[in-house]
Amino acid sequence: MRILLVADEDWVVEDVEASLAESRFEITTSDDPHAAVEACGETGADVAIVDLQVASMGGMAVIRRIRAAVDAKVIPPTPTILLLDRGADRFIAKRAGADGSLRKPFGAFDLRSLIDELAAATSEA
């Protein structure tokens, strides 16, 4: 499964990579939020994971750009996960149109389960 991670904090990248340290996951990391849509298309990402704050752009804007590109059929359906700083930020994820969200720090099982759930829902659609 191809995962696009949009994050610029080393510890976030390391946590996601450690959580997805299985041969079934192929992770591409981008620290450029402006290139997220292009990276989704180039990598054929099955799921995009976006940190709440990446460089000079909020994760909410990145999720919205990915959603708009999917709606315009620029890229194939790509479920999105927004990594939150606080539990109270869940409303941000919903407003952005994220398919799922996790509060940092997260557990490996929780991340893998959410990815599997979103990938299954996409393949059923």
Side-chain angles (χ1 to χ4, degrees):
M1 182 175 302
R2 294 172 306 250
I3 307 295
L4 173 64
L5 172 60
V6 183
D8 62 351
E9 292 287 335
D10 290 341
W11 73 270
V12 173
V13 173
E14 290 167 5
D15 281 2
V16 170
E17 288 177 344
S19 295
L20 303 181
E22 296 179 9
S23 61
R24 68 186 180 114
F25 295 111
E26 177 185 321
I27 303 168
T28 301
T29 304
S30 174
D31 62 0
D32 181 0
H34 300 283
V37 169
E38 194 174 299
C40 277
E42 289 175 1
T43 64
D46 297 303
V47 175
I49 302 171
V50 181
D51 198 7
L52 185 61
Q53 184 63 40
V54 185
S56 63
M57 182 183 281
M60 193 170 164
V62 176
I63 297 284
R64 285 182 172 159
R65 283 184 176 192
I66 292 171
R67 288 276 134 260
V70 167
D71 291 346
K73 300 187 184 336
V74 173
I75 60 173
T78 307
T80 55
I81 298 171
L82 187 60
L83 299 178
L84 309 175
D85 294 330
R86 314 172 293 152
D89 291 333
R90 290 202 191 283
F91 81 97
I92 291 173
K94 289 179 183 176
R95 289 191 70 194
D99 297 296
S101 61
L102 282 176
R103 183 174 177 248
K104 300 176 291 189
F106 47 83
F109 177 79
D110 294 331
L111 180 58
R112 289 191 307 264
S113 295
L114 181 54
I115 288 170
D116 290 341
E117 176 185 317
L118 295 176
T122 300
S123 67
E124 292 173 4

